[in-house]
Amino acid sequence: MPDAYIYDAVRTPRGRGKPDGALHEVSSLGLANTALKAIKERNNLHGPEVDDVILGCVDPVGEAGGDIARASAIASGYTYKVPGVQINRFCASGLDSVNLAAAEIMSGQHELAIGGGVESMSRVGIGASGGAWPVDPTIAIPSYFMPQGVSADLIATKYGFSRDDVDAYAVESQKRAAKAWEEGRFAKSVVAVKDVNGLTILAHDEHIRPDTNMQSLAALKPSFAFFAEQGGFDAVAIQAYPEIEKLSYVHHAGNSSGIVDGAAAVLVGSKEVGEKLGLRPRARIRAFANIGSEPAIMLTGPVDVTKKVLDRSGMTLADIDLIEINEAFAAVVLRYLQAFDLDPAKVNPNGGAIAMGHPLGATGAMLVGIAVDELERTGKGTALVTLCIGAGMGTATIIERV
């Protein structure tokens, strides 16, 4: 089976996903184009060399609908000969896009593909595409549907994480992200978003709050208590997990992932195409896996899929030098650290989505790029990238520096 190599990875800065955010004026297509054009220009591609473009998008409606991957492939100058497909596995869509691009290479059917994602959360609101899961009782009742924030509070309650625990993790995420930007750790991969005149709109992650501390977070009220109590989801949580007597509401905007706009792209190809095009491989994709996890608690999938991908690849966590796990909520990462008794320094050393934000369909691809950059910066060998997913799933990928 051919190996799949990562030749390049880029992302836009993440803009605050609100009408006053810097990227609100940029369409979903414009964000995707920024990433795809950067891949094309940085690697001296003409366009038709690329066999496929796969982009994750969690709310593919309105301007983000109608197969935005195909639209962006054409608009970015790859020519009409390059196909594109949009996929949706909720928060892991960007990582799954990279994995699917790798699968095309590893199967021998394609030589060069781009996996990535895009989400303009300021222009296409979260949940805009709807879905049966929250509203159709034939799935909502047996799966114990509850909003993700309530599930995060359920994790904190079940596994014993206090308000101080989750706030302390959030403060550390902010500190790490600020330090990473100060030291230029993202400089290799972040491409500025520009307007039609070539003027820079945003070149820096906009959501970071480096002055965050325990006192400022303590002033924030829990965000999901109202949904749990007024919507009856606290009762749903206790019904699913009867050992829980009462939910502890510990999550709020400061220790949950930020709503942001952004896009990312990862260039994946075979060894032969790299040699033909004069591209230098940066990493090899060793293994990837998906798994379903219990849908009520929902966000523990990274634990389950990590076990699966390590087992499938014949590796252990001792073989992994770096872990990037999406900071959907602080309790998600704390549970992951707890489950594997990990050194916190090994996980998200440059901060995560609590500090920089989580553009749903793009985050997984962004984490791949961050992992490649960090392996190169530190000289380490292997990284594992994983995300929790709505409705109870997990996706993980292991990459190896070349």
Side-chain angles (χ1 to χ4, degrees):
M1 184 173 65
D3 285 325
Y5 291 92
I6 295 173
Y7 287 101
D8 202 6
V10 302
R11 71 171 176 93
T12 68
R14 289 174 255 199
R16 287 187 301 112
K18 296 181 179 180
D20 61 352
L23 296 181
H24 179 64
E25 66 180 270
V26 183
S27 68
S28 301
L29 182 62
L31 293 174
N33 290 350
T34 299
L36 290 187
K37 285 179 179 178
I39 287 287
K40 184 173 181 291
E41 293 168 0
R42 285 161 52 122
N43 297 281
N44 298 313
L45 301 176
H46 298 289
E49 310 97 321
V50 176
D51 293 306
D52 206 2
V53 173
I54 309 166
L55 295 183
C57 185
V58 174
D59 282 299
V61 295
E63 68 177 46
D67 191 354
I68 193 169
R70 170 61 171 164
S72 187
I74 297 173
S76 300
Y78 285 78
T79 81
Y80 67 88
K81 294 182 180 180
V82 178
V85 60
Q86 173 271 323
I87 69 164
N88 181 10
R89 199 192 296 272
F90 297 148
C91 296
S93 300
L95 183 56
D96 250 332
S97 294
V98 176
N99 292 345
L100 288 173
E104 292 181 343
I105 307 307
M106 296 163 80
S107 69
Q109 302 307 302
H110 286 162
E111 290 187 305
L112 193 65
I114 296 173
V118 60
E119 210 80 44
S120 177
M121 301 180 75
S122 70
R123 296 170 64 96
V124 183
I126 186 170
S129 57
W133 178 41
V135 297
D136 188 330
T138 61
I139 178 61
I141 292 174
S143 65
Y144 298 98
F145 169 79
M146 63 189 84
Q148 285 192 1
V150 180
S151 289
D153 284 338
L154 175 58
I155 291 172
T157 305
K158 179 174 174 61
Y159 293 104
F161 305 128
S162 68
R163 172 68 182 261
D164 281 350
D165 291 334
V166 292
D167 281 357
Y169 182 84
V171 170
E172 182 63 18
S173 179
Q174 294 283 356
K175 288 181 178 178
R176 292 184 181 189
K179 183 178 181 181
W181 268 105
E182 289 170 5
E183 296 184 354
R185 298 184 190 179
F186 301 133
K188 185 182 292 186
S189 298
V190 173
V191 291
V193 179
K194 299 183 178 182
D195 65 16
V196 294
N197 298 310
L199 300 177
T200 296
I201 297 173
L202 186 66
H204 189 283
D205 288 327
E206 190 181 24
H207 188 269
I208 295 178
R209 299 179 296 277
D211 295 331
T212 298
N213 56 42
M214 293 294 286
Q215 291 71 33
S216 62
L217 292 185
L220 300 177
K221 295 181 179 180
S223 296
F224 306 105
F226 174 83
F227 295 102
E229 295 171 349
Q230 300 302 313
F233 293 111
D234 54 350
V236 175
I238 293 170
Q239 186 179 24
Y241 288 85
E243 68 272 23
I244 302 297
E245 295 183 5
K246 180 179 174 62
L247 281 182
S248 297
Y249 304 115
V250 298
H251 287 93
H252 50 75
N255 57 35
S256 306
S257 56
I259 295 173
V260 294
D261 305 332
V266 180
L267 183 65
V268 182
S270 66
K271 179 180 180 181
E272 291 73 19
V273 79
E275 292 174 347
K276 182 169 65 176
L277 297 175
L279 302 175
R280 183 184 68 85
R282 299 176 63 189
R284 179 171 69 95
I285 297 178
R286 290 192 56 166
F288 50 85
N290 295 296
I291 202 169
S293 60
E294 201 283 307
I297 207 163
M298 193 187 315
L299 306 173
T300 56
V303 173
D304 302 320
V305 78
T306 293
K307 294 175 182 177
K308 181 177 181 178
V309 75
L310 289 171
D311 181 63
R312 290 280 181 89
S313 60
M315 301 174 73
T316 69
L317 278 173
D319 300 314
I320 304 297
D321 299 316
L322 164 70
I323 295 172
E324 288 288 338
I325 175 174
N326 186 39
E327 296 175 353
F329 300 90
V332 172
V333 186
L334 291 177
R335 172 54 190 155
Y336 193 85
L337 293 168
Q338 180 190 69
F340 296 113
D341 191 24
L342 290 168
D343 178 359
K346 187 176 182 177
V347 179
N348 296 359
N350 297 307
I354 289 174
M356 293 178 283
H358 174 25
L360 304 179
T363 303
M366 290 183 171
L367 293 183
V368 171
I370 289 171
V372 172
D373 284 346
E374 184 65 9
L375 289 178
E376 292 177 342
R377 185 185 75 85
T378 59
K380 294 179 179 178
T382 56
L384 186 149
V385 178
T386 186
L387 299 92
C388 60
I389 309 172
M393 293 183 282
T395 298
T397 304
I398 297 174
I399 64 174
E400 178 182 52
R401 183 173 63 89
V402 176

